[in-house]
Amino acid sequence: MRVAGSLQKQLVYGLTLGIVVLWLVATALSGLIVQRRLDDAFDDAMQGAAQRILPLAVLDIINREDPPTQQRVAPLNALPGQVAYLVRDREGTILLQSHDADPGVFGPPDMLGFSTTATHRLYGASALRDTVFLQLAEPLAYRRKAARDATVALLLPLLLLVPASLLGVWLYVRFRLRSVRSYRRAVEARGVGDLSPIHTELLPLEIRPSADAVNSLIDRLRRALETERRFTANSAHELRTPLAAALAQVQRLRREAADGPLQARAGQIEASLRELSRLAEKLMQLAKAEGGSVLAEEPQDLVLLLTHVVDDLQRAAAVPIRLVLPSTGPVLSPIDADAFAILARNLIENALKHGAPGHPIDVDLSKSARLTVINAGEVLDPAELAQLTGRFIRGRGRAQGYGLGLAIVTTIADAAGARLTLASPATGRPDGFEVSVQFPVAGS
């Protein structure tokens, strides 16, 4: 299948090639015109030379004391180009000739006016009542060389015209397509977190219908996603109340029931209801990450937010959570406080859930706003590692879950302009799992 190339490159090369072709055609036509004008100029020069030579030749012949059949080289040096001449009588006897004249190239003595042979341009004139004939001969090669030199002179500017045209056309096309490049960047910047319409007022008329169609598609996608988010958020919200009521009833049933199968079954129902409550909470977090803005109007201190999240999780955690914070000053980032708390909580909960039993969780926040969460555990394959950020994708561990934690983290990180990195084994360790999120720093 043929792959479409760059429009800018096609326009630059096409317009430059068109200019060169037009220049060559114009040069060819100009060469023909120049050759015709040169022929006329050379003919006028030959005719003028004949008018100057013929009176002198007649005077020289009349004033001779020697027999008229004797030939003499005329001392005339003002001949145009490479013109040679002969002066003959009616019988063809040479009376005068130039020093480089070849009698074989001349026509019959009584030839008058212009004529052309295979190699020369001839001109004949007569005097003394057609008793003395003068013929001039000029090589056609001399005329062709003059026309060729004139054509080459017309082609020489092409050596400068080609690169100059290429540069000029490239600059002009690039300048005129700046709105198209801006539109492309705007389309690339659109994502789940930004589905606003793209301004098309500055686009060329030929591209504007396609841009309007893209805006229409974005609008339909936005409405579809909003419908999905509202459904997810509403469903999760509506489930919280009946789940809480059912959980309270089951807990009351456990307290009132005697030891035995009913007590065990009530415990199983309570565990299931707690899992459903956690799922509803995850779905609400996912809906918030996809639908709400994750950027704050004022920079947030990640140190305070992370400390609060770790303290809250540490109370229910079975293993220690070792928190490392910058020694001096706050760490400011333009991310929303709730969005950061959801992201950090999901990372730490995943580490607590999937980490090796009995091993602590390491949470580190650097001065450059880089959050790192590390847990011990088996080394994951690169193929498995690359799939963990998808929805409802779980690792191969035995821990219970719905595979939404890293999907929520990825959604928030993408919307906040943060960079998410997964690694297994963890940095500086033979095993374990490491998640790093590099947040943008406020003011950078």
Side-chain angles (χ1 to χ4, degrees):
M1 188 176 78
R2 184 178 180 182
V3 179
S6 169
L7 176 61
Q8 177 174 316
K9 186 181 296 183
Q10 292 176 6
L11 287 175
V12 170
Y13 290 160
L15 291 176
T16 303
L17 180 61
I19 292 175
V20 172
V21 171
L22 289 177
W23 185 274
L24 292 175
V25 172
T27 302
L29 295 176
S30 300
L32 295 177
I33 296 174
V34 167
Q35 184 173 3
R36 184 169 298 178
R37 294 292 182 268
L38 286 176
D39 288 339
D40 293 341
F42 285 133
D43 288 347
D44 292 341
M46 290 180 66
Q47 192 171 9
Q51 293 174 358
R52 292 192 299 271
I53 294 174
L54 187 58
L56 297 176
V58 170
L59 183 61
D60 182 78
I61 293 172
I62 293 175
N63 293 332
R64 286 182 189 174
E65 297 179 356
D66 298 327
T69 57
Q70 183 179 358
Q71 64 182 23
R72 183 183 300 175
V73 177
L76 299 174
N77 298 321
L79 293 176
Q82 299 180 359
V83 176
Y85 69 90
L86 283 181
V87 179
R88 293 179 288 186
D89 58 15
R90 190 183 299 274
E91 288 75 20
T93 302
I94 298 176
L95 304 177
L96 288 175
Q97 71 177 35
S98 59
H99 67 282
D100 55 349
D102 182 7
V105 302
F106 293 88
D110 57 351
M111 184 204 75
L112 300 178
F114 287 99
S115 63
T116 304
T117 66
T119 58
H120 286 75
R121 178 71 167 171
L122 306 177
Y123 178 74
S126 64
L128 298 180
R129 298 182 179 181
D130 294 338
T131 58
V132 177
F133 297 91
L134 170 68
Q135 286 188 357
L136 287 81
E138 184 178 41
L140 294 179
Y142 175 74
R143 295 194 175 196
R144 296 192 184 102
K145 181 178 181 302
R148 186 168 58 251
D149 292 344
T151 304
V152 171
L154 292 175
L155 285 174
L156 285 178
L158 192 63
L159 299 178
L160 295 177
L161 178 67
V162 172
S165 299
L166 189 63
L167 178 61
V169 171
W170 181 80
L171 291 175
Y172 180 76
V173 171
R174 183 173 179 81
F175 175 75
R176 298 306 303 174
L177 291 180
R178 66 189 187 281
S179 60
V180 178
R181 292 195 301 274
S182 299
Y183 176 75
R184 183 195 66 187
R185 290 192 294 268
V187 172
E188 292 175 349
R190 293 303 188 269
V192 177
D194 183 10
L195 291 177
S196 59
I198 304 172
H199 298 291
T200 61
E201 293 80 5
L202 299 179
L203 288 175
L205 294 177
E206 294 80 4
I207 301 178
R208 194 174 299 174
S210 299
D212 293 338
V214 171
N215 278 340
S216 178
L217 177 62
I218 290 177
D219 184 64
R220 292 197 300 271
L221 178 62
R222 179 183 56 80
R223 291 199 299 267
L225 289 176
E226 286 179 353
T227 302
E228 179 185 353
R229 291 165 185 162
R230 285 195 298 267
F231 174 77
T232 303
N234 293 337
S235 299
H237 180 74
E238 294 298 330
L239 282 174
R240 295 177 69 180
T241 301
L243 284 175
L247 184 60
Q249 294 295 329
V250 170
Q251 290 174 345
R252 182 177 178 180
L253 178 63
R254 287 190 63 188
R255 288 194 300 268
E256 296 177 354
D259 294 338
L262 181 60
Q263 182 73 244
R265 182 164 298 180
Q268 294 175 356
I269 295 174
E270 181 181 359
S272 298
L273 290 175
R274 290 186 183 277
E275 284 297 320
L276 284 176
S277 298
R278 281 194 289 268
L279 176 59
E281 183 67 26
K282 292 293 183 183
L283 291 176
M284 289 190 65
Q285 291 178 358
L286 183 61
K288 177 178 177 56
E290 292 183 341
S293 175
V294 299
L295 297 178
E297 296 182 359
E298 297 292 335
Q300 303 295 315
D301 185 5
L302 302 187
V303 174
L304 296 178
L305 298 175
L306 184 61
T307 302
H308 177 73
V309 172
V310 171
D311 290 344
D312 185 44
L313 292 174
Q314 184 64 82
R315 287 192 288 268
V319 296
I321 302 176
R322 298 185 299 198
L323 177 62
V324 178
L325 298 172
S327 58
T328 58
V331 178
L332 300 180
S333 179
I335 188 173
D336 180 72
D338 291 338
F340 177 79
I342 293 174
L343 182 146
R345 179 177 290 273
N346 276 278
L347 287 180
I348 298 174
E349 285 180 348
N350 272 4
L352 291 171
K353 186 181 299 183
H354 300 285
H359 289 75
I361 306 301
D362 292 320
V363 180
D364 178 82
L365 180 65
S366 68
K367 187 67 178 178
S368 61
R370 184 180 184 88
L371 173 63
T372 304
V373 179
I374 300 176
N375 63 269
E378 298 180 3
V379 177
L380 301 180
D381 296 333
E384 183 180 3
L385 196 66
Q387 299 176 355
L388 290 181
T389 56
R391 297 184 185 183
F392 303 104
I393 301 297
R394 296 180 52 200
R396 57 187 176 186
R398 298 181 179 179
Q400 298 296 322
Y402 296 96
L404 288 175
L406 285 181
I408 296 172
V409 170
T410 302
T411 302
I412 296 177
D414 291 342
R419 186 175 67 253
L420 176 67
T421 305
L422 307 181
S424 183
T427 303
R429 299 188 182 186
D431 61 354
F433 179 72
E434 175 182 335
V435 182
S436 296
V437 184
Q438 177 61 64
F439 294 96
V441 180
S444 62

